[in-house]
Amino acid sequence: MIAPMQNQYRNYQQATQRSPHTSSSRRGPGPMVSHAQPTPSQAQLNAQRHAAAMESDIAKRRARKPTDKNMPEGVEDIIVGDGVQQYKSLRDIERRLDALMMRKKLDTQDSSQSGFKRHKTLRIWISNTAENQPWQGRSLDENAFDFNTGIEATYKVKIEGRLVEDGNSDSTLDIDSDDEDEDGNLPPAAEEEKDAMDHDSPVPPKGPKSSPQPRKKFSHFFKAITIDFDRGKNLQPDSATQIEWKKPPVPSNSPNLPAAADFDCLEFERKSDENINCTINLYRDESPERFLLSKDLAEVLDTEEDDRASIVLGLWEYIKAMGLQQDEEKRIIQCDDRLRALFKTETIFFPHIPDLILNHISPLPPLSLPYTIHVDPTPLPPTTYTIRLPTLSPPTIPPPPRTLNTQDDALALLIQALAHSKAKHAFLTAMSKDPALFVKKWIGSQRRDLEVILGEAGRGEEGLGEEWRWGGRGGVWGTEVVGESVGLMVSKQGGRGS
């Protein structure tokens, strides 16, 4: 019988259980320990108050900072010349330029999110070594019955890949069987050997080596790699005609990749004493994923491979260029000959295009690299392949120069000063026409503002204008609106009394 186990939570150390029969003297409460924080000094308090005052002052300045750069209305009537009209025309040009720059910025952001494609060169070296082959001089046991050494002949294949600088090669897949490629690059293993020899030589290096920058490795570009052997299953010693590697699932927020998905060299070892032809298939890992387009869709977009977002965007640009939108409903597209051959209909609803293109796209075929595994004594250099792969490289948008922001702030201050000057000009002009009446109205306006501030407006006759002081049919109290209001008030009071 298995005794029940106690739950262990997070491997915390549990307190030892006290037996109920064990008697122990209970201790009294221990001394109170106070964790008093040190009292800040007067200098520290003053420094905190000064910092808080500085932050408040900066916030007030930021709030009072003028941002309006529009010319005040009516300034052109009091300024000699056409400077105001020229300024307004410049402001109109600036608005159009700002709108154009913002539209270009949004287009750049959209293109960077959908994928700014830039091709990089990936160089792959494939080589193999052989062990325990018959030509390698295995000794036989003279007393053995079957004259067998008991050691299996094996070979080991190494697939290495690395990004190199972009060259002048425009081909998608180039094969080169030299040990050193056309750019003078060696396989990674040979290059490490060369670096070690250079390090051991007495000649000092030309300059300090720069720290290695983080780079994308060979496994980052592919989600699966398969090796298919060109031999029957019965002829293989281990009855396996395919070797497969798949990239393990990696969380999107993971800072580091596991070792199974972060390597530059892939090796495998098998048994054989004969040369074998094989094909190495590389399944690309791209984000966003690209697809192979059908013949009709490729004819419309003039490309054979693209991702879904770019396909929809390309169709939208084609529809706008050909003017295929209906006048009444812009979302309904009138198909021309190419779209009719593609979608097999006369009209399509544009929001349905992402679903309609699913029948015209298929996964990209793998990159197939043929290779012959040699186990004979003839030495051969590694087989080199050069592949051009599209990678995402979003463009960098430089921030606006500081001088432009400084000039905008100075311009806003000038417009604010101009508005204040216009207000003073209007004040003095109105005062010069009739000083007595102007001063009387100005004092009355200041009085009403002061009453509003003090909360006394509307309480008694002091907060009312001159028109409320007079009665009669010609006054305010004799209007129809006041009569209806008084009647409504009297009816409400009569209802309450009953």
Side-chain angles (χ1 to χ4, degrees):
M1 183 174 180
I2 302 175
M5 298 179 62
Q6 295 183 356
N7 294 330
Q8 297 286 339
Y9 295 99
R10 298 186 181 179
N11 296 328
Y12 290 155
Q13 184 178 1
Q14 295 185 352
T16 57
Q17 296 182 357
R18 183 183 297 117
S19 174
H21 302 288
T22 304
S23 61
S24 61
S25 59
R26 187 179 299 273
R27 298 181 179 179
M32 298 294 292
V33 179
S34 61
H35 301 279
Q37 297 181 355
T39 304
S41 61
Q42 188 65 28
Q44 294 177 352
L45 293 176
N46 293 336
Q48 293 177 0
R49 295 193 191 97
H50 181 69
M54 290 291 293
E55 292 180 359
S56 177
D57 187 39
I58 293 173
K60 290 179 180 179
R61 290 181 182 179
R62 192 181 299 111
R64 292 194 302 264
K65 185 178 180 180
T67 57
D68 188 14
K69 293 183 289 184
N70 295 323
M71 187 68 67
E73 294 294 334
V75 177
E76 60 273 9
D77 299 334
I78 57 178
I79 293 181
V80 180
D82 58 347
V84 178
Q85 288 76 11
Q86 292 182 2
Y87 178 81
K88 289 184 177 181
S89 62
L90 289 175
R91 282 287 296 165
D92 184 48
I93 295 174
E94 184 183 12
R95 291 190 191 95
R96 289 184 289 175
L97 184 60
D98 290 341
L100 179 62
M101 292 173 63
M102 180 59 65
R103 186 167 65 251
K104 292 297 182 181
K105 183 178 180 180
L106 294 176
D107 292 343
T108 305
Q109 291 178 354
D110 293 340
S111 63
S112 63
Q113 292 176 0
S114 62
F116 183 79
K117 297 181 179 61
R118 177 189 175 192
H119 286 78
K120 291 188 176 182
T121 303
L122 179 66
R123 191 141 299 159
I124 300 176
W125 294 271
I126 307 175
S127 60
N128 73 277
T129 57
E131 294 182 1
N132 302 322
Q133 298 295 327
W135 57 268
Q136 291 179 331
R138 294 180 298 179
S139 60
L140 298 177
D141 188 2
E142 297 179 356
N143 299 323
F145 179 74
D146 56 356
F147 299 101
N148 190 4
T149 59
I151 302 176
E152 296 287 345
T154 61
Y155 61 86
K156 182 183 292 185
V157 178
K158 181 183 294 186
I159 306 172
E160 301 174 87
R162 187 183 60 186
L163 280 177
V164 296
E165 294 296 331
D166 294 339
N168 297 325
S169 175
D170 296 331
S171 59
T172 304
L173 186 63
D174 297 335
I175 302 176
D176 188 4
S177 299
D178 296 335
D179 186 24
E180 186 173 333
D181 54 31
E182 65 274 8
D183 294 334
N185 294 322
L186 295 172
E191 189 170 352
E192 291 176 2
E193 243 181 71
K194 183 179 178 183
D195 292 341
M197 293 174 61
D198 293 341
H199 182 71
D200 294 338
S201 62
V203 180
K206 294 182 180 179
K209 291 186 177 180
S210 59
S211 58
Q213 299 293 331
R215 59 181 180 84
K216 298 191 71 174
K217 295 187 177 181
F218 174 64
S219 60
H220 298 176
F221 295 96
F222 307 104
K223 58 185 176 182
I225 300 176
T226 61
I227 298 94
D228 297 329
F229 296 99
D230 191 13
R231 292 181 66 176
K233 185 176 181 180
N234 298 330
L235 299 178
Q236 286 288 97
D238 52 0
S239 301
T241 59
Q242 187 185 67
I243 301 175
E244 184 178 17
W245 169 84
K246 285 187 177 181
K247 181 180 294 185
V250 180
S252 57
N253 57 354
S254 178
N256 298 321
L257 295 175
D262 188 25
F263 57 85
D264 280 328
C265 179
L266 179 66
E267 296 182 354
F268 64 91
E269 186 176 2
R270 287 295 183 271
K271 301 176 182 179
S272 180
D273 56 0
E274 297 179 357
N275 295 345
I276 306 174
N277 294 327
C278 66
T279 303
I280 301 172
N281 300 312
L282 307 176
Y283 294 86
R284 286 164 280 190
D285 186 10
E286 300 174 344
S287 180
E289 184 179 2
R290 293 188 304 141
F291 297 90
L292 184 65
L293 277 59
S294 64
K295 182 179 178 180
D296 296 333
L297 185 57
E299 185 178 355
V300 175
L301 300 181
D302 195 19
T303 183
E304 296 181 355
E305 301 175 359
D306 217 334
D307 57 273
R308 294 182 182 179
S310 300
I311 293 173
V312 176
L313 182 60
L315 288 174
W316 170 243
E317 293 177 352
Y318 176 81
I319 290 170
K320 289 194 301 181
M322 296 300 176
L324 303 179
Q325 294 176 279
Q326 290 188 359
D327 296 335
E328 296 81 7
E329 178 59 57
K330 297 293 184 181
R331 294 180 297 177
I332 298 179
I333 310 303
Q334 191 71 32
C335 296
D336 59 355
D337 295 338
R338 291 184 175 180
L339 294 183
R340 195 177 298 111
L342 178 63
F343 298 114
K344 303 297 188 294
T345 183
E346 294 294 333
T347 58
I348 55 174
F349 193 52
F350 188 82
H352 294 167
I353 286 184
D355 297 329
L356 296 175
I357 63 175
L358 294 179
N359 297 327
H360 298 274
I361 59 177
S362 57
L364 287 177
L367 300 174
S368 299
L369 311 179
Y371 180 71
T372 300
I373 303 173
H374 292 274
V375 296
D376 49 18
T378 305
L380 293 175
T383 303
T384 305
Y385 290 92
T386 301
I387 303 175
R388 303 281 289 177
L389 293 176
T391 57
L392 293 180
S393 180
T396 57
I397 303 175
R402 294 182 179 180
T403 55
L404 186 59
N405 296 332
T406 304
Q407 292 176 0
D408 286 342
D409 296 340
L411 182 60
L413 290 174
L414 288 176
I415 293 298
Q416 185 185 41
L418 188 61
H420 292 167
S421 300
K422 178 181 176 299
K424 292 179 182 179
H425 181 272
F427 180 86
L428 296 176
T429 302
M431 185 177 179
S432 63
K433 294 179 180 179
D434 192 352
L437 181 61
F438 178 81
V439 171
K440 184 178 179 181
K441 289 183 178 181
W442 181 74
I443 293 176
S445 173
Q446 297 295 320
R447 178 170 170 240
R448 286 192 297 270
D449 294 342
L450 184 60
E451 290 174 352
V452 170
I453 294 174
L454 298 177
E456 298 178 358
R459 298 180 181 178
E461 297 182 355
E462 290 82 1
L464 301 178
E466 295 293 334
E467 63 273 10
W468 295 93
R469 299 177 181 270
W470 307 99
R473 294 185 177 275
V476 177
W477 297 103
T479 59
E480 184 179 356
V481 176
V482 174
E484 292 179 356
S485 301
V486 172
L488 181 61
M489 186 181 301
V490 171
S491 62
K492 287 183 178 181
Q493 291 179 356
R496 292 176 182 175
S498 62

Coordinates of all heavy atoms in Angstrom, one line a residue, residues 208-271:
P208 N 43.3 46.0 -35.1 CA 42.5 45.3 -34.1 C 41.3 44.8 -34.7 O 40.6 45.4 -35.5 CB 42.2 46.3 -33.0 CG 42.3 47.7 -33.7 CD 43.4 47.5 -34.8
K209 N 40.9 43.5 -34.3 CA 39.7 42.9 -34.8 C 38.5 43.5 -34.2 O 38.5 43.8 -33.0 CB 39.7 41.4 -34.6 CG 40.7 40.7 -35.4 CD 40.6 39.2 -35.3 CE 41.6 38.4 -36.1 NZ 41.4 37.0 -36.0
S210 N 37.5 43.8 -35.0 CA 36.3 44.4 -34.4 C 35.4 43.3 -33.8 O 35.5 42.1 -34.1 CB 35.4 45.0 -35.6 OG 35.1 44.1 -36.6
S211 N 34.7 43.7 -32.8 CA 33.8 42.7 -32.1 C 32.8 42.2 -33.0 O 32.2 42.9 -33.8 CB 33.1 43.4 -30.9 OG 32.4 44.5 -31.4
P212 N 32.5 40.9 -33.0 CA 31.5 40.3 -33.9 C 30.1 40.8 -33.6 O 29.7 40.9 -32.5 CB 31.6 38.8 -33.5 CG 32.2 38.7 -32.2 CD 33.1 39.9 -32.0
Q213 N 29.5 41.2 -34.7 CA 28.1 41.7 -34.7 C 27.1 40.5 -34.8 O 27.4 39.5 -35.4 CB 27.9 42.6 -35.8 CG 28.8 43.9 -35.8 CD 28.5 44.8 -34.6 OE1 27.3 44.8 -34.1 NE2 29.5 45.5 -34.1
P214 N 26.0 40.6 -34.1 CA 25.0 39.5 -34.2 C 24.5 39.4 -35.7 O 24.2 40.3 -36.4 CB 23.8 40.0 -33.3 CG 24.0 41.5 -33.2 CD 25.5 41.7 -33.3
R215 N 24.5 38.2 -36.2 CA 24.2 37.9 -37.6 C 23.2 36.7 -37.6 O 23.0 36.0 -36.7 CB 25.4 37.5 -38.3 CG 26.2 36.3 -37.8 CD 27.4 36.0 -38.6 NE 28.1 34.9 -38.1 CZ 27.8 33.6 -38.4 NH1 26.8 33.4 -39.3 NH2 28.5 32.6 -37.9
K216 N 22.6 36.6 -38.8 CA 21.6 35.5 -39.0 C 22.4 34.3 -39.4 O 23.3 34.4 -40.3 CB 20.6 35.9 -40.1 CG 19.8 37.1 -39.7 CD 18.6 37.2 -40.7 CE 17.6 36.1 -40.5 NZ 16.4 36.4 -41.3
K217 N 22.1 33.2 -38.8 CA 22.8 31.9 -39.1 C 22.1 31.1 -40.2 O 21.0 31.5 -40.6 CB 23.0 31.1 -37.8 CG 23.9 31.8 -36.8 CD 24.2 30.9 -35.6 CE 25.1 31.6 -34.6 NZ 25.4 30.7 -33.5
F218 N 22.7 30.0 -40.6 CA 22.2 29.2 -41.7 C 20.8 28.7 -41.4 O 19.9 28.7 -42.2 CB 23.2 28.1 -41.9 CG 22.7 27.0 -42.9 CD1 22.5 27.4 -44.2 CD2 22.4 25.7 -42.5 CE1 22.1 26.5 -45.2 CE2 22.0 24.8 -43.5 CZ 21.8 25.2 -44.8
S219 N 20.5 28.2 -40.1 CA 19.2 27.7 -39.8 C 18.1 28.7 -39.7 O 17.0 28.3 -39.7 CB 19.3 26.9 -38.5 OG 19.7 27.8 -37.4
H220 N 18.5 30.0 -39.6 CA 17.4 31.0 -39.5 C 16.6 31.2 -40.8 O 15.5 31.7 -40.8 CB 18.0 32.3 -39.1 CG 18.7 32.3 -37.8 ND1 19.4 33.4 -37.3 CD2 18.8 31.4 -36.9 CE1 19.9 33.1 -36.1 NE2 19.6 31.9 -35.9
F221 N 17.2 30.8 -41.9 CA 16.6 31.0 -43.2 C 15.6 29.8 -43.7 O 14.9 30.0 -44.6 CB 17.6 31.2 -44.3 CG 18.4 32.4 -44.1 CD1 19.7 32.3 -43.5 CD2 18.0 33.7 -44.5 CE1 20.4 33.5 -43.3 CE2 18.7 34.8 -44.3 CZ 20.0 34.7 -43.7
F222 N 15.7 28.7 -42.9 CA 14.9 27.5 -43.4 C 14.1 26.9 -42.2 O 14.6 27.0 -41.1 CB 15.9 26.5 -44.0 CG 16.8 27.0 -45.1 CD1 18.1 27.3 -44.8 CD2 16.3 27.3 -46.3 CE1 18.9 27.8 -45.8 CE2 17.1 27.8 -47.3 CZ 18.4 28.1 -47.0
K223 N 12.9 26.4 -42.6 CA 12.1 25.8 -41.6 C 12.2 24.3 -41.6 O 11.8 23.6 -40.7 CB 10.6 26.2 -41.8 CG 10.1 25.9 -43.1 CD 8.7 26.4 -43.3 CE 8.1 26.1 -44.7 NZ 6.7 26.7 -44.8
A224 N 12.8 23.7 -42.7 CA 13.0 22.3 -42.8 C 14.1 22.0 -43.8 O 14.2 22.8 -44.8 CB 11.7 21.6 -43.1
I225 N 14.8 21.0 -43.6 CA 15.9 20.5 -44.5 C 15.7 19.0 -44.6 O 15.7 18.3 -43.6 CB 17.3 20.8 -44.0 CG1 17.4 22.4 -43.9 CG2 18.3 20.3 -45.0 CD1 18.8 22.8 -43.3
T226 N 15.6 18.5 -45.9 CA 15.5 17.1 -46.1 C 16.6 16.6 -47.1 O 17.0 17.4 -48.0 CB 14.1 16.7 -46.7 OG1 14.0 17.4 -48.0 CG2 13.0 17.1 -45.8
I227 N 17.1 15.4 -46.9 CA 18.1 14.8 -47.8 C 17.5 13.5 -48.3 O 17.3 12.6 -47.6 CB 19.5 14.5 -47.0 CG1 20.1 15.8 -46.5 CG2 20.4 13.8 -47.9 CD1 19.7 16.2 -45.1
D228 N 17.3 13.5 -49.6 CA 16.7 12.4 -50.3 C 17.8 11.6 -51.0 O 18.6 12.2 -51.8 CB 15.6 12.8 -51.3 CG 14.5 13.5 -50.6 OD1 14.2 13.1 -49.5 OD2 13.9 14.4 -51.2
F229 N 18.0 10.3 -50.7 CA 19.0 9.5 -51.4 C 18.4 8.8 -52.6 O 17.3 8.4 -52.7 CB 19.4 8.4 -50.4 CG 20.1 8.9 -49.2 CD1 19.4 9.1 -48.0 CD2 21.4 9.3 -49.2 CE1 20.0 9.6 -46.9 CE2 22.1 9.8 -48.1 CZ 21.4 9.9 -46.9
D230 N 19.3 8.8 -53.7 CA 18.9 8.3 -55.0 C 19.2 6.8 -55.0 O 19.9 6.3 -55.9 CB 19.6 9.0 -56.1 CG 19.0 8.7 -57.5 OD1 18.0 8.1 -57.5 OD2 19.7 9.0 -58.5
R231 N 18.6 6.1 -54.0 CA 18.8 4.6 -54.0 C 17.6 4.0 -53.4 O 16.8 4.6 -52.6 CB 20.0 4.2 -53.1 CG 21.4 4.6 -53.6 CD 22.5 4.2 -52.7 NE 22.6 2.7 -52.7 CZ 23.6 2.1 -52.0 NH1 24.5 2.8 -51.3 NH2 23.6 0.8 -51.9
G232 N 17.3 2.8 -53.8 CA 16.2 2.1 -53.2 C 16.3 1.8 -51.8 O 17.4 1.8 -51.2
K233 N 15.1 1.6 -51.1 CA 15.1 1.3 -49.7 C 15.9 0.0 -49.4 O 16.5 -0.1 -48.3 CB 13.7 1.2 -49.2 CG 13.5 1.1 -47.7 CD 12.0 1.1 -47.3 CE 11.9 1.0 -45.8 NZ 10.4 1.1 -45.4
N234 N 15.8 -1.0 -50.2 CA 16.4 -2.3 -50.0 C 18.0 -2.2 -50.1 O 18.7 -3.0 -49.6 CB 15.9 -3.3 -50.9 CG 14.4 -3.6 -50.8 OD1 13.9 -3.4 -49.7 ND2 13.7 -3.9 -51.8
L235 N 18.5 -1.2 -50.8 CA 19.9 -1.1 -51.0 C 20.6 -0.2 -49.9 O 21.8 -0.2 -49.8 CB 20.2 -0.4 -52.4 CG 19.7 -1.2 -53.6 CD1 20.0 -0.4 -54.9 CD2 20.3 -2.6 -53.7
Q236 N 19.8 0.4 -49.1 CA 20.3 1.2 -48.0 C 20.6 0.3 -46.8 O 19.8 -0.5 -46.5 CB 19.4 2.3 -47.6 CG 19.3 3.5 -48.6 CD 20.5 4.3 -48.5 OE1 21.4 4.1 -49.4 NE2 20.6 5.2 -47.6
P237 N 21.8 0.5 -46.2 CA 22.1 -0.4 -45.0 C 21.1 -0.2 -43.9 O 20.8 -1.2 -43.2 CB 23.5 0.1 -44.6 CG 24.1 0.7 -45.9 CD 22.9 1.3 -46.6
D238 N 20.6 1.0 -43.7 CA 19.7 1.2 -42.6 C 18.2 1.4 -43.1 O 17.4 1.8 -42.3 CB 20.1 2.5 -41.8 CG 20.3 3.7 -42.7 OD1 20.1 3.5 -43.9 OD2 20.6 4.8 -42.2
S239 N 18.0 1.1 -44.4 CA 16.6 1.1 -45.0 C 16.0 2.5 -44.9 O 14.8 2.6 -44.8 CB 15.7 0.0 -44.3 OG 16.3 -1.3 -44.4
A240 N 16.8 3.5 -44.9 CA 16.3 4.9 -44.8 C 16.7 5.6 -46.1 O 17.8 5.6 -46.5 CB 16.8 5.6 -43.6
T241 N 15.7 6.2 -46.8 CA 15.9 6.9 -48.0 C 15.8 8.4 -47.9 O 16.0 9.1 -48.8 CB 15.0 6.4 -49.1 OG1 13.6 6.7 -48.7 CG2 15.1 4.9 -49.4
Q242 N 15.6 8.9 -46.6 CA 15.4 10.3 -46.4 C 15.8 10.6 -45.0 O 15.5 9.9 -44.0 CB 14.0 10.8 -46.7 CG 13.8 12.3 -46.6 CD 12.3 12.7 -46.7 OE1 11.5 12.4 -45.8 NE2 12.0 13.3 -47.9
I243 N 16.5 11.8 -44.9 CA 16.8 12.4 -43.6 C 16.2 13.7 -43.5 O 16.2 14.5 -44.5 CB 18.4 12.5 -43.4 CG1 19.0 11.1 -43.5 CG2 18.7 13.2 -42.1 CD1 20.5 11.2 -43.5
E244 N 15.5 14.0 -42.4 CA 14.7 15.3 -42.2 C 15.1 16.0 -41.0 O 15.3 15.4 -39.9 CB 13.2 14.9 -42.3 CG 12.4 16.2 -42.2 CD 10.9 15.8 -42.3 OE1 10.6 14.7 -42.0 OE2 10.0 16.7 -42.6
W245 N 15.2 17.3 -41.1 CA 15.4 18.2 -39.9 C 14.3 19.3 -40.0 O 14.0 19.9 -41.1 CB 16.7 18.9 -39.9 CG 16.8 20.0 -38.9 CD1 17.1 19.9 -37.6 CD2 16.6 21.4 -39.2 NE1 17.0 21.2 -37.0 CE2 16.7 22.1 -38.0 CE3 16.2 22.2 -40.3 CZ2 16.5 23.5 -37.9 CZ3 16.0 23.5 -40.2 CH2 16.2 24.2 -39.0
K246 N 13.6 19.5 -38.9 CA 12.5 20.5 -38.8 C 12.9 21.5 -37.7 O 13.3 21.0 -36.6 CB 11.2 19.8 -38.6 CG 10.6 19.2 -39.8 CD 9.1 18.7 -39.5 CE 8.5 18.1 -40.7 NZ 7.1 17.7 -40.5
K247 N 12.6 22.7 -37.9 CA 12.9 23.7 -36.9 C 11.9 23.6 -35.8 O 10.7 23.6 -36.1 CB 12.8 25.1 -37.5 CG 13.1 26.3 -36.5 CD 13.0 27.6 -37.2 CE 14.1 27.8 -38.2 NZ 14.1 29.2 -38.8
P248 N 12.3 23.5 -34.6 CA 11.4 23.4 -33.5 C 10.6 24.7 -33.3 O 11.1 25.8 -33.7 CB 12.3 23.1 -32.2 CG 13.6 23.7 -32.6 CD 13.7 23.5 -34.1
P249 N 9.4 24.6 -32.8 CA 8.6 25.9 -32.6 C 9.2 26.8 -31.5 O 9.6 26.3 -30.5 CB 7.2 25.3 -32.1 CG 7.5 24.0 -31.5 CD 8.6 23.4 -32.3
V250 N 9.3 28.0 -31.9 CA 10.0 29.0 -31.0 C 9.0 30.1 -30.7 O 8.4 30.6 -31.6 CB 11.3 29.6 -31.7 CG1 11.9 30.6 -30.8 CG2 12.2 28.5 -32.0
P251 N 8.8 30.5 -29.4 CA 7.9 31.6 -29.1 C 8.4 32.9 -29.8 O 9.6 33.1 -29.9 CB 7.9 31.7 -27.6 CG 8.4 30.4 -27.1 CD 9.3 29.9 -28.2
S252 N 7.4 33.8 -30.1 CA 7.8 35.0 -30.8 C 8.5 36.0 -29.9 O 9.3 36.8 -30.4 CB 6.5 35.7 -31.3 OG 5.6 35.9 -30.3
N253 N 8.3 35.9 -28.6 CA 9.0 36.8 -27.7 C 10.2 36.2 -27.1 O 10.8 36.8 -26.1 CB 8.0 37.2 -26.6 CG 7.4 36.0 -25.8 OD1 7.7 34.9 -26.2 ND2 6.7 36.3 -24.8
S254 N 10.7 35.1 -27.6 CA 11.9 34.5 -27.1 C 13.1 35.2 -27.5 O 13.3 35.4 -28.7 CB 12.0 33.0 -27.5 OG 13.2 32.4 -27.0
P255 N 14.0 35.7 -26.6 CA 15.2 36.5 -27.0 C 16.2 35.6 -27.7 O 16.9 36.1 -28.6 CB 15.7 37.1 -25.7 CG 15.2 36.1 -24.6 CD 13.9 35.6 -25.1
N256 N 16.4 34.3 -27.3 CA 17.4 33.4 -27.8 C 16.7 32.2 -28.4 O 15.7 31.7 -27.9 CB 18.4 33.0 -26.7 CG 19.1 34.2 -26.1 OD1 19.5 35.1 -26.9 ND2 19.3 34.2 -24.8
L257 N 17.3 31.7 -29.5 CA 16.8 30.5 -30.1 C 17.5 29.3 -29.5 O 18.6 29.3 -29.0 CB 17.2 30.5 -31.6 CG 16.5 31.6 -32.4 CD1 17.0 31.6 -33.9 CD2 15.0 31.4 -32.4
P258 N 16.8 28.1 -29.4 CA 17.4 26.9 -28.9 C 18.5 26.4 -29.9 O 18.6 26.8 -31.0 CB 16.3 25.9 -28.9 CG 15.3 26.4 -29.9 CD 15.4 27.9 -29.8
A259 N 19.4 25.6 -29.3 CA 20.5 25.1 -30.2 C 20.1 24.4 -31.4 O 20.8 24.4 -32.4 CB 21.5 24.3 -29.3
A260 N 18.9 23.7 -31.3 CA 18.4 22.9 -32.5 C 18.0 23.8 -33.6 O 17.7 23.3 -34.7 CB 17.3 22.0 -32.0
A261 N 17.8 25.1 -33.3 CA 17.4 26.0 -34.4 C 18.3 27.2 -34.6 O 18.0 28.2 -35.2 CB 16.0 26.6 -34.0
D262 N 19.6 27.1 -34.1 CA 20.5 28.1 -34.2 C 21.9 27.5 -34.5 O 22.7 27.3 -33.6 CB 20.6 28.9 -32.9 CG 21.4 30.2 -32.9 OD1 21.6 30.7 -34.1 OD2 21.9 30.6 -31.9
F263 N 22.2 27.3 -35.8 CA 23.5 26.7 -36.1 C 23.8 27.1 -37.5 O 23.0 27.6 -38.3 CB 23.4 25.1 -36.1 CG 22.3 24.5 -36.9 CD1 22.5 24.2 -38.2 CD2 21.1 24.2 -36.4 CE1 21.5 23.7 -39.0 CE2 20.1 23.6 -37.1 CZ 20.3 23.4 -38.5
D264 N 25.1 27.0 -37.8 CA 25.6 27.2 -39.2 C 26.0 26.0 -39.9 O 26.3 26.0 -41.1 CB 26.9 28.1 -39.1 CG 26.5 29.6 -38.9 OD1 25.4 30.0 -39.4 OD2 27.2 30.3 -38.2
C265 N 26.1 24.8 -39.2 CA 26.6 23.6 -39.8 C 25.7 22.4 -39.4 O 25.3 22.3 -38.3 CB 28.0 23.3 -39.4 SG 28.7 21.8 -40.1
L266 N 25.3 21.6 -40.4 CA 24.4 20.5 -40.2 C 25.2 19.2 -40.7 O 25.7 19.2 -41.8 CB 23.1 20.6 -41.0 CG 22.1 19.4 -40.8 CD1 21.6 19.3 -39.4 CD2 21.0 19.6 -41.8
E267 N 25.4 18.2 -39.8 CA 26.1 17.0 -40.1 C 25.3 15.8 -39.8 O 24.4 15.8 -39.0 CB 27.4 17.0 -39.2 CG 28.4 18.1 -39.4 CD 29.6 17.9 -38.6 OE1 29.6 17.0 -37.7 OE2 30.6 18.7 -38.7
F268 N 25.5 14.8 -40.6 CA 24.9 13.5 -40.4 C 25.8 12.4 -40.9 O 26.7 12.6 -41.8 CB 23.5 13.4 -41.1 CG 23.6 13.4 -42.6 CD1 23.7 12.3 -43.4 CD2 23.5 14.6 -43.3 CE1 23.8 12.3 -44.8 CE2 23.6 14.7 -44.7 CZ 23.7 13.5 -45.4
E269 N 25.7 11.2 -40.3 CA 26.6 10.1 -40.6 C 25.8 8.8 -40.9 O 24.8 8.6 -40.2 CB 27.5 9.8 -39.4 CG 28.6 8.7 -39.7 CD 29.5 8.5 -38.5 OE1 29.3 9.2 -37.5 OE2 30.5 7.7 -38.6
R270 N 26.2 8.1 -42.0 CA 25.4 6.9 -42.4 C 26.5 5.9 -42.8 O 27.7 6.2 -43.0 CB 24.5 7.2 -43.6 CG 23.2 8.0 -43.1 CD 22.4 7.2 -42.2 NE 21.1 7.9 -41.8 CZ 21.0 8.8 -40.8 NH1 22.1 9.0 -40.1 NH2 19.9 9.3 -40.6
K271 N 26.0 4.6 -43.0 CA 26.8 3.5 -43.4 C 26.7 3.3 -44.9 O 25.6 3.2 -45.4 CB 26.4 2.2 -42.7 CG 26.5 2.3 -41.2 CD 25.9 1.1 -40.5 CE 25.9 1.2 -39.0 NZ 25.4 -0.1 -38.4

